[in-house]
Amino acid sequence: MKRQFVQEMGRSPRFTILELLRCSEGGLPVDDLATKLSMSYMGVKAHCLEMDDEGYLETWRQPGKRGRPRMLYRLTEKAYDLFSEEKNDLALSFLTVSKKLFGATAPQKILMLHYRAVSAKYNEQIKGATTEERAASFARIRHREGYLSDFEEGPPWRIIENHYLYRDLLMAYPEVDAFECQMISEVLGVPVRREVTMVAGLYRAIISSKL
């Protein structure tokens, strides 16, 4: 995350609101945010209005089965940028130069070698005798790394990641998604599917077993 933003906001309610919205499915209403934060409705509303004015949040209306639609807050692309990693520019530049120097397939070969190393690293860290235990351990490691990961017990178990450290890399090289999926399959010892959605500043990857 960008250092200046973290330094200015620290662990303030504003920062926590962004984290909660980041981990939500499509956004949250003010009353839900107030409950999660143990704050007053008006206190949370004031923070949301402030961040709306600053361009970090936007509102949309969620249709309901009865009554009026609910107004939800969700992150904007500007807010998503706060979670971006600064090292993406260097990685993208390196891959671009490798393509010019060594040919069109050079970036893919480098990515393949990178993910082999990542797989080996996770295999050293992950604990658990069963696939589900290894998946839970993997989710905890990824959460510490900044992927905002949650593990849902099964059957079927799921890993939900609400942030991706290399989003710019994924946009430039879509094959990164396949490398990620293959790496996770190798680490967990079972074939997995990885369903990714990126909408209005929201990133979400749902990882589950194909078996």
Side-chain angles (χ1 to χ4, degrees):
M1 300 177 188
K2 294 188 176 179
R3 293 179 184 176
Q4 183 178 358
F5 175 77
V6 175
Q7 289 172 351
E8 289 177 354
M9 300 188 73
R11 301 303 302 179
S12 70
R14 280 162 50 100
F15 186 83
T16 306
I17 288 170
L18 292 177
E19 286 189 316
L20 289 171
L21 293 175
R22 183 82 180 134
C23 296
S24 69
E25 294 191 38
L28 291 169
V30 173
D31 52 353
D32 284 5
L33 288 168
T35 299
K36 292 177 182 294
L37 289 165
S38 298
M39 290 179 58
S40 69
Y41 179 94
M42 294 307 298
V44 173
K45 180 70 173 179
H47 285 303
C48 289
L49 288 173
E50 192 174 73
M51 288 191 286
D52 192 335
D53 290 340
E54 294 170 351
Y56 294 117
L57 301 183
E58 64 182 9
T59 58
W60 71 287
R61 295 190 179 278
Q62 182 185 59
K65 294 181 179 179
R66 297 180 180 178
R68 294 185 300 175
R70 292 199 310 168
M71 188 177 77
L72 276 63
Y73 278 97
R74 63 185 179 189
L75 301 186
T76 63
E77 287 294 331
K78 181 179 178 180
Y80 182 91
D81 289 341
L82 297 172
F83 294 86
S84 297
E85 292 293 311
E86 297 175 358
K87 54 190 173 186
N88 285 0
D89 289 343
L90 178 60
L92 286 169
S93 177
F94 178 73
L95 291 173
T96 300
V97 171
S98 73
K99 185 176 182 179
K100 292 179 179 179
L101 292 176
F102 305 112
T105 62
Q108 287 72 26
K109 292 177 180 178
I110 292 171
L111 287 169
M112 180 180 66
L113 292 173
H114 167 73
Y115 277 100
R116 283 181 182 174
V118 171
S119 179
K121 180 195 72 171
Y122 283 137
N123 274 320
E124 292 179 355
Q125 297 177 348
I126 285 179
K127 299 179 180 179
T130 67
T131 300
E132 187 162 343
E133 289 173 350
R134 290 179 64 81
S137 178
F138 178 77
R140 288 192 294 270
I141 294 170
R142 295 275 278 194
H143 185 74
R144 290 196 298 268
E145 292 177 342
Y147 290 89
L148 301 181
S149 304
D150 288 320
F151 177 75
E152 294 183 355
E153 295 181 353
W157 57 263
R158 298 196 312 170
I159 298 171
I160 300 174
E161 297 189 335
N162 297 289
H163 180 52
Y164 189 61
L165 301 180
Y166 309 104
R167 184 172 181 264
D168 294 343
L169 190 63
L170 177 62
M171 299 296 288
Y173 296 92
E175 56 267 42
V176 164
D177 184 62
F179 281 121
E180 279 275 340
C181 194
Q182 181 179 351
M183 177 272 294
I184 296 170
S185 294
E186 292 174 356
V187 168
L188 300 185
V190 295
V192 301
R193 63 174 58 88
R194 184 170 176 269
E195 302 171 10
V196 176
T197 56
M198 290 187 288
V199 180
L202 171 70
Y203 170 91
R204 177 167 294 238
I206 299 178
I207 302 160
S208 58
S209 172
K210 286 184 177 180
L211 299 180

